Amino acid sequence: MSIDWGALGSVFGVSIAVTVGLVGLFTLGIVGLGDRATATASTASTTSTTEGRGAEGRRADGRSGGGRGPLVRAGAYACFAACAVAVAYGIWLIAG
Amino acid sequence: MEHLTLLIGVVIVTALAFDFTNGFHDTANAMATTISTGAMSPRLAVAMSAVLNLAGAFLSVQVAKTISGGIIDEKSGIRPEVIFAGLVGAIVWNLVTWLAGLPSSSSHALFGGLIGATLVAVGAHGVHGEAVVMKVLIPAVASPLVAGAAAALATRLTYRIGRNADPESTRKGYRAGQIASAGLVSLAHGTNDAQKTMGVITLALITGGIIAPGSNPPVWVILSAGTAMALGTYIGGWRIIRTLGKGLTDVQPQQGFAAQSGAATVILASSHLGFALSTTHVVSGAVLGSGVGRKGAVVRWGTAGRMGLSWLITLPAAGLVAAGATAVADQGTWGVGVVGVLGLLVCAGAYVLAQRNRVDHTNVNDVAPVGGSAPLTPAVAGAGAFDAFGGELAATIPAPAQAAPVTRKAAL
C-alpha cells in the first residue's frame, strides 16, 4: 500500500494558499468599501469615536479628500470580482 | 423476481431514508456558522441550503460511480439484503449522534455500515482494504487538519486587514461573504453526499440485476436522492447546528466567513484530486481553526474532543450495527422484516427522545456564550450537546426552565 503523499501535499498547499488568498482579497474589498462608507458618514462623528476608530476615520477622510476614493472603490470591486471568478471556477470544478 | 423486486424496493426506500438523515445531519456543515452569527435567519438558511443541495445533486455523478465500484467489491456476491443491513447500520448511527448533537460524518456511517455488512456476508475479500485506507481513513485525518490550518491563517489575516475598519461598515460585507461561502459548501455537499446515496441505490440495482454493472445512475435515482437530501436539510439537524455554531467556539462573522471559505476550498480541492472526504470533518476542523486564529477566542476543547472521539467510533460503530443486522437479515425474508421493524423502532425512539428537549429554529442560538474555559459548566450541559441522553445528567444539573418537568420524568 502506498500513500500518495504528493496528492495530500498539494491538497494541503492549494487549500491554504487559496483560502488565505481569497479571504484576504475579500477582506480588502470589504475594508475598501467600508472606508468609503465611513468617509461619508464619519465627518460628523470623527470627534466622538474612540482611539482606533478615530484614527480610521481620519485616514478615510484623508483619502476622500485627496481624491483616492474612486480608486479605492475600484480596487475593492476588483477584489470582489476576483473572488467571484474563483467561486465560478469552484462551481465549474464541482460540475467537472 | 417478484421477491427480488420487493426487496430492492425496500433497499431503495432505506437508502433514501439514509439520505434524509444525511441531509439533516449535515445541514450544520454549511449553515451552522451562518446561523450562529446571524448572517441569515435559521429558516432562510436551511431553505437555501436545501435548494443548493438539490442543485448540487444534479451537477455530477463522478462520486456515485466510485462508491459502487470502489470500496465494496460488487462482484463478490453482495446481495440486496447486505446493502439493506448496511444502510440500517448507517441510519441508526446517524440518529444516535444526532440525538447527542455530535457532528459525526454521515459518509463514515455509510461506509462503516456497508463495510460491516459486507464483512459478515461475504468476508474480508468483499472489501477493498486499500481503497478504504486511501479514500476514507487518510482524508478523515488529514482534511480537518488542512481545513483548520487554512481557516486559522485566514481568520488571522482577515482580522489583521480589517483591524482598523469600522465593524458597522464591514458587517454587510462579511455577511455576503458568509452566505456565498456557505452556499458553495451546500452545493459541494449536495454533489458529494447525494451521490453517495445514488451510488448505493445504483449498487442495489446492479446486485439485483436490473441495470448492468458500471452503469450511470438513472435520472429518477438522481432526482429522488437529491430530493430526499434536500428535505432532510430543510428539516434541519438543529442540535448539530447548535454544537457546531455555538459549542466549539463563539463564532464571529469574520471567523464564520474564514471557516466556510476554508471548508469550501478544501472540499473542492480534494474532491478534484479524488479524495472522497467528509464535509463534517472539514467544517468542524475549519470552525476550530477559526477559533484558534482569532486572538482572545475561547475554544472549547472538551467539546472538540468528544467530537473527535465520535469520529473515531463512527465507522466501527455503524459497522457493528450493520454486521448484526446482516446476520439477521441474511436469514431470509423474515430476517429482513425483523431488521426493518427494529430500524423503524430506533427511528421512532430517537424521535420521541428528541421531543423531550426540542432544539429547533426558534431556540438554536439560545446557548450561553463561550465564556470561561470550563468544558462542562452547568449552562453548557443544560443547553448543550448531551441533553438528549440526559436522564442522569439533567437530574444533577439545573435544567432549563421549560424542560424541567420532562427531564424530571426522565430521571424517574
Side-chain angles (χ1 to χ4, degrees):
Chain A
M1 189 178 318
S2 60
I3 295 171
D4 194 349
W5 291 109
L8 271 181
S10 53
V11 170
F12 196 89
V14 167
S15 298
I16 289 182
V18 171
T19 306
V20 170
L22 276 184
V23 169
L25 268 178
F26 197 84
T27 311
L28 282 176
I30 292 175
V31 171
L33 286 190
D35 267 353
R36 282 287 303 173
T38 318
T40 47
S42 69
T43 34
S45 64
T46 322
T47 45
S48 64
T49 45
T50 46
E51 311 87 68
R53 284 179 51 190
E56 204 277 328
R58 272 199 306 284
R59 204 187 66 207
D61 274 351
R63 278 185 188 180
S64 59
R68 279 186 61 198
L71 211 68
V72 172
R73 216 180 151 100
Y77 282 123
C79 289
F80 287 136
C83 292
V85 169
V87 170
Y89 179 66
I91 293 174
W92 182 77
L93 274 187
I94 297 177
Chain B
M1 197 65 206
E2 183 85 351
H3 169 69
L4 197 65
T5 316
L6 176 67
L7 186 58
I8 288 181
V10 170
V11 171
I12 290 171
V13 170
T14 317
L16 293 177
F18 167 76
D19 205 18
F20 179 83
T21 65
N22 188 346
F24 81 67
H25 217 276
D26 290 2
T27 318
N29 296 344
M31 288 303 169
T33 61
T34 319
I35 289 171
S36 70
T37 59
M40 287 179 95
S41 80
R43 267 288 186 231
L44 192 64
V46 293
M48 180 181 118
S49 186
V51 169
L52 289 172
N53 261 318
L54 186 58
F58 283 92
L59 277 179
S60 166
V61 290
Q62 213 69 22
V63 180
K65 285 203 270 189
T66 62
I67 296 304
S68 51
I71 286 163
I72 308 291
D73 187 354
E74 305 163 23
K75 294 179 219 72
S76 66
I78 308 283
R79 279 156 299 118
E81 290 93 329
V82 179
I83 300 173
F84 170 70
L87 285 169
V88 169
I91 292 174
V92 166
W93 186 250
N94 257 356
L95 288 176
V96 170
T97 48
W98 163 69
L99 273 178
L102 286 172
S104 68
S105 164
S106 302
S107 322
H108 276 204
L110 178 62
F111 292 143
L114 288 177
I115 291 170
T118 307
L119 283 178
V120 168
V122 301
H125 68 274
V127 179
H128 292 156
E130 190 164 333
V132 173
V133 173
M134 269 315 288
K135 288 187 175 166
V136 183
L137 297 184
I138 289 179
V141 176
S143 63
L145 294 178
V146 179
L153 289 173
T155 303
R156 178 75 37 103
L157 181 71
T158 192
Y159 273 105
R160 188 167 190 97
I161 295 175
R163 70 189 182 281
N164 289 325
D166 178 9
E168 279 304 305
S169 70
T170 56
R171 194 203 287 147
K172 253 178 145 173
Y174 279 117
R175 197 171 152 226
Q178 275 190 282
I179 294 173
S181 54
L184 205 55
V185 174
S186 290
L187 201 65
H189 180 253
T191 316
N192 274 305
D193 282 21
Q195 283 191 68
K196 286 171 190 148
T197 306
M198 293 177 210
V200 170
I201 297 178
T202 309
L203 179 59
L205 294 174
I206 291 173
T207 57
I210 292 173
I211 59 175
S215 306
N216 274 336
V219 175
W220 64 266
V221 173
I222 301 177
L223 184 67
S224 55
T227 309
M229 173 172 280
L231 265 180
T233 305
Y234 182 69
I235 300 291
W238 299 105
R239 290 166 191 278
I240 301 171
I241 293 177
R242 181 184 270 181
T243 304
L244 212 48
K246 293 278 183 189
L248 288 176
T249 183
D250 219 5
V251 184
Q252 294 187 350
Q254 289 91 327
Q255 292 170 280
F257 168 57
Q260 293 296 1
S261 303
T265 311
V266 172
I267 293 168
L268 291 180
S270 54
S271 51
H272 185 59
L273 286 162
F275 292 102
L277 41 64
S278 160
T279 42
T280 310
H281 293 169
V282 174
V283 173
S284 309
V287 171
L288 272 181
S290 77
V292 173
R294 173 163 73 93
K295 283 185 186 124
V298 176
V299 176
R300 252 199 220 118
W301 291 107
T303 307
R306 280 198 296 274
M307 206 172 72
L309 201 65
S310 80
W311 293 356
L312 278 183
I313 59 176
T314 289
L315 205 137
L320 270 181
V321 178
T326 309
V328 178
D330 240 7
Q331 304 302 312
T333 313
W334 67 268
V336 174
V338 167
V339 171
V341 169
L342 285 178
L344 284 176
L345 280 178
V346 170
C347 294
Y351 180 78
V352 170
L353 277 175
Q355 292 304 312
R356 280 188 183 161
N357 198 335
R358 274 183 76 97
V359 180
D360 59 20
H361 64 100
T362 57
N363 65 355
V364 62
N365 281 340
D366 300 347
V367 186
V370 184
S373 54
L376 200 73
T377 62
V380 178
F386 286 94
D387 42 5
F389 292 136
E392 59 280 61
L393 205 60
T396 53
I397 291 166
Q402 78 275 34
V406 195
T407 41
R408 210 173 295 134
K409 198 168 69 199
L412 285 176

